[in-house]
Amino acid sequence: MKLVLLSGGSGKRLWPLSNDARSKQFLPLLEGEHGKESMVQRVWRQLGVLGLQDHTHIATSKSQEDIMKSQLGEGIPLIMEPERRDTFPAIALACVYLFDVLKISRDETICFLPVDPFVEDSFFHTLLKLEDVLGRTGADIGLVGVSPTYPSAKYGYIIPHAEVEESADLFQSVRRFVEKPSEQLAAHIIEQERGLWNCGIFAFRLQYLLDQLQVRYGTISFEDFVGNYSNMPRISFDYEVVEKADNVVVIKYSGYWKDIGTWNTLSEELLQPVIGIGAVSNDCSNTHIINELDIPVQVLGISDAVVAASPDGILVCDKEASSRLKDEIYRWDGRPMYEERVWGWRKTLDYRKSDSGEEVLTKRVRVQAGKNMSYHCHHQRKEIWTIISGQGEVIVDRQRRTIRYGDVIQIPPGQMHSVYAISDLEFIEVQIGELLSDSDVYREHLLWSEAEHGGAPCAE
Amino acid sequence: MKLVLLSGGSGKRLWPLSNDARSKQFLPLLEGEHGKESMVQRVWRQLGVLGLQDHTHIATSKSQEDIMKSQLGEGIPLIMEPERRDTFPAIALACVYLFDVLKISRDETICFLPVDPFVEDSFFHTLLKLEDVLGRTGADIGLVGVSPTYPSAKYGYIIPHAEVEESADLFQSVRRFVEKPSEQLAAHIIEQERGLWNCGIFAFRLQYLLDQLQVRYGTISFEDFVGNYSNMPRISFDYEVVEKADNVVVIKYSGYWKDIGTWNTLSEELLQPVIGIGAVSNDCSNTHIINELDIPVQVLGISDAVVAASPDGILVCDKEASSRLKDEIYRWDGRPMYEERVWGWRKTLDYRKSDSGEEVLTKRVRVQAGKNMSYHCHHQRKEIWTIISGQGEVIVDRQRRTIRYGDVIQIPPGQMHSVYAISDLEFIEVQIGELLSDSDVYREHLLWSEAEHGGAPCAE
């Protein structure tokens, strides 16, 4: 059995900490064994403990590649989607990749799961039983259903056939699905129909989906799917495949499971009321501060609230209202203020546009020891770097020199450049130009060893 | 009659917008005739309309000099306290200054008032009647009492002699004072004793206080008072003088008066619920955002709250709780993040201290057209300026050159420098050094015309 973690994710549900460059599953807010960890890191660590990492791939898109490698390591096995669509195209692409590129057998059972379930280890034991259940029953698709703890109106429900009476550990065949019922209906479903929460697990023999794809698209070549990916429907695997399948089974899981999708549910997992600089007055109860800024947050006299602050913005939210955030989020067309990259991170400090259209963007940039940026240039902007910490090397126009704390490097428009960190390197970058776009980047291949030594390639 | 505005003020009551460098009376949040104005600007404008500016001085301390000149103009008549103490030493020093330095007659009536009353023009008409009342009655001190609109527990009360029955316009002699009574007692004081709110106005003949000072200190020389200012008691004029006086009168004022001392009272005067970038969800009522940051603030599902954000911090406050802010404010030993200076302003973007003690402070600095900084140097730090807007001139080591958008200026430790703005000039300043203290400034006198032209005084 192979596992595939699906890493989609919206930047909106945990705004302002999450953004398009850092979906919620990458926020380092949970208590790990060695300090704070993200949801992705937590799941990957659990898979490691259970010896499952070698059997697992992560399906993700280009925009998450850097942060995924930064959090899980360079060697993490990724299946790259050309763009982000929905779970049906993502699962189809992953299946074709496993078969066509990795030459996995058509008989292999593949189990897809979200990248961010907040569960006990026993959840994975449950999921591993699906291979055996599929084999014994000949069912098309196997699911995991979570025993509901309250009649939630926010989840989907899996309703088994009523006539089958089995122990909790065994499978049940699925009669139908109900998506986000009212609380009243949910209570009925739980009590009268033994309904289970759908937690987004899908397992099936690879053959099952490959056959459908062959019929529908006339090909199961990975190259073809990548080329046509943008034409595939934006539709979920539930709607497109599971609900049309003849024979679906579900295994019940009765352990801890949680969908950390809102500030309310996330804050329940935080051990301290304040992360970052800040304080909550004594008369507040059940109020959390999550502050990534360098300035303090003071909450005075407000209970049951979350205050989340990042370079992207500040959210002040009643916990009950936090599920509405995705729809209510302030429409602000600002660029992401914090970006994690494979070589480190950069954080926007200041942005200014003059009446005449000149733009100035000031950032603090960190390059981790031993890492380097690609060799690149910008046509529309000048950059001034003031090194504020650490040691490294820059290449400007193929000339290489060492840099350290206090040095100033000026890079005119059109000049190719790169930087390598000997020790953790930080600099303040001031970008000046007519158009400060992230797409104004032109890369060339240059091995670090190809650059000439000892030059003075840039004005100091 | 002369007026003296007393500009004290704490940086805490309207934190984080107010700080030690910008007390609450300087916050530009009120609706003026030409856009937003501060409390100080509002009062000064009212005095101008009434033709009273020429008869008015402002008693303040060194730390407010720059922002006072920046908001009211260079020529504003200031009485400078060597340090901030309380209203008794401030009023004593001002009286000595008026007599000893300005040679004002001992017979002149002087009226002291807070710099930030939020009142109608008729308030000033009432106050002007005090001269006549003092003359007719021979009273020592004249006060203005505001007709209470509710039994507040937050104000002081002036209680007149009960036996005197007069019309509202005339004076009453004062029997006693009650400071911050309970609401129940306040109701009794208002109904049974015709008590009035004490709004901090004191008028008396200059002679009255000079005599007391001569007896107590043996001098009424301004120089002596400046020299001994730090030994004067930290005590209010109410306690030290008014409550000990034999014959105090009060005039009743029945117009609009408000003490804008908390976020709750300030927000009542704001016309829009959001100042700056931000949004409040539709289900909130009576919630205000005051945001001086460049990132959005989103409030979701929280009513009766104030969210105030500045480079100094973020406050999320229940309105009723806002009077407790002064005591609850987060103890954070950060430097002021925004400073208004006579030549413009500077705003901290980023601060970093490495493990080895090296500090890096990044600021955006604006110098207004036609203004210049003093000629100064720093011994402990290097500065790198990247000009991001406008045109100007720098002098570094007596060499003068023009600078514009895109230029980079490096100023090593110990090198004297200054900058002059031809048009509004902005730059990003990166300070690097072992000790980034505001006190590491050494000034020399240099006329702008004395510097040599055309040099290349600084590495580019």
Side-chain angles (χ1 to χ4, degrees), chain A residues 181-398:
Chain A
S182 67
E183 281 185 25
Q184 197 184 359
L185 180 55
H188 175 85
I189 286 171
I190 293 168
E191 284 161 32
Q192 305 297 320
E193 305 192 83
R194 293 177 302 138
L196 303 168
W197 286 341
N198 189 347
C199 59
I201 308 287
F202 315 109
F204 48 84
R205 273 177 65 233
L206 189 50
Q207 176 86 46
Y208 172 72
L209 194 67
L210 291 178
D211 285 351
Q212 292 193 26
L213 297 175
Q214 180 69 53
V215 168
R216 182 164 175 173
Y217 295 103
T219 173
I220 47 173
S221 133
F222 181 66
E223 201 179 323
D224 290 344
F225 271 80
V226 167
N228 281 304
Y229 199 72
S230 60
N231 296 322
M232 290 190 73
R234 278 187 199 277
I235 192 164
S236 74
F237 192 75
D238 298 83
Y239 285 124
E240 191 64 10
V241 178
V242 182
E243 298 194 7
K244 295 174 182 170
D246 292 326
N247 189 355
V248 180
V249 292
V250 59
I251 302 185
K252 185 155 101 177
Y253 165 69
S254 302
Y256 194 78
W257 174 86
K258 191 164 181 179
D259 175 33
I260 299 191
T262 66
W263 280 114
N264 190 17
T265 50
L266 174 60
S267 65
E268 287 168 4
E269 302 304 326
L270 302 179
L271 293 185
Q272 305 101 11
V274 178
I275 295 179
I277 314 172
V280 173
S281 65
N282 290 334
D283 57 331
C284 304
S285 66
N286 190 30
T287 284
H288 283 83
I289 294 173
I290 302 100
N291 180 15
E292 291 200 331
L293 298 175
D294 295 330
I295 58 177
V297 171
Q298 171 76 54
V299 177
L300 191 55
I302 294 180
S303 293
D304 302 312
V306 169
V307 180
S310 86
D312 278 357
I314 299 160
L315 172 71
V316 178
C317 186
D318 179 67
K319 284 192 177 172
E320 277 301 308
S322 70
S323 58
R324 284 167 25 218
L325 176 60
K326 197 174 164 181
D327 307 317
E328 295 257 8
I329 187 171
Y330 188 83
R331 308 287 163 201
W332 195 63
D333 60 354
R335 59 194 79 224
M337 303 288 274
Y338 176 84
E339 292 170 274
E340 245 173 82
R341 305 304 295 266
V342 69
W343 41 258
W345 50 256
R346 53 187 174 201
K347 184 173 120 180
T348 297
L349 302 178
D350 190 58
Y351 173 73
R352 187 187 180 287
K353 185 170 188 170
S354 72
D355 296 340
S356 53
E358 292 150 349
E359 292 175 282
V360 181
L361 193 56
T362 306
K363 297 189 177 197
R364 189 162 120 197
V365 181
R366 183 183 181 91
V367 185
Q368 285 166 343
K371 305 265 178 140
N372 64 276
M373 291 185 185
S374 67
Y375 189 57
H376 67 285
C377 78
H378 317 281
H379 289 311
Q380 306 294 331
R381 68 182 190 239
K382 174 180 179 176
E383 291 185 354
I384 296 107
W385 296 355
T386 302
I387 312 300
I388 63 172
S389 162
Q391 263 199 301
E393 292 188 342
V394 285
I395 301 178
V396 180
D397 215 6
R398 304 187 79 86

Side-chain angles (χ1 to χ4, degrees), chain B residues 309-353:
Chain B
S310 85
D312 278 357
I314 299 160
L315 173 70
V316 178
C317 188
D318 178 70
K319 284 192 177 172
E320 278 301 309
S322 69
S323 58
R324 284 167 24 217
L325 176 60
K326 197 173 165 183
D327 306 316
E328 295 256 9
I329 187 172
Y330 188 83
R331 308 288 163 198
W332 195 64
D333 60 353
R335 56 195 81 224
M337 302 290 274
Y338 177 84
E339 292 169 273
E340 246 173 81
R341 306 303 296 266
V342 69
W343 42 258
W345 51 255
R346 55 186 172 197
K347 183 173 120 182
T348 297
L349 302 179
D350 190 58
Y351 172 73
R352 188 187 178 288
K353 185 170 188 171

Side-chain angles (χ1 to χ4, degrees), chain B residues 120 175 273 276 358:
Chain B
E120 302 166 33
R175 184 156 64 94
E358 293 152 347

Side-chain angles (χ1 to χ4, degrees), chain B residues 30 82 104 107 118 147 150 184 200 260 282 297 341 365:
Chain B
L30 303 172
I104 303 289
D107 288 327
F118 192 84
S147 289
Y150 68 99
Q184 197 185 0
I260 300 191
N282 290 334
V297 172
R341 306 303 296 266
V365 181

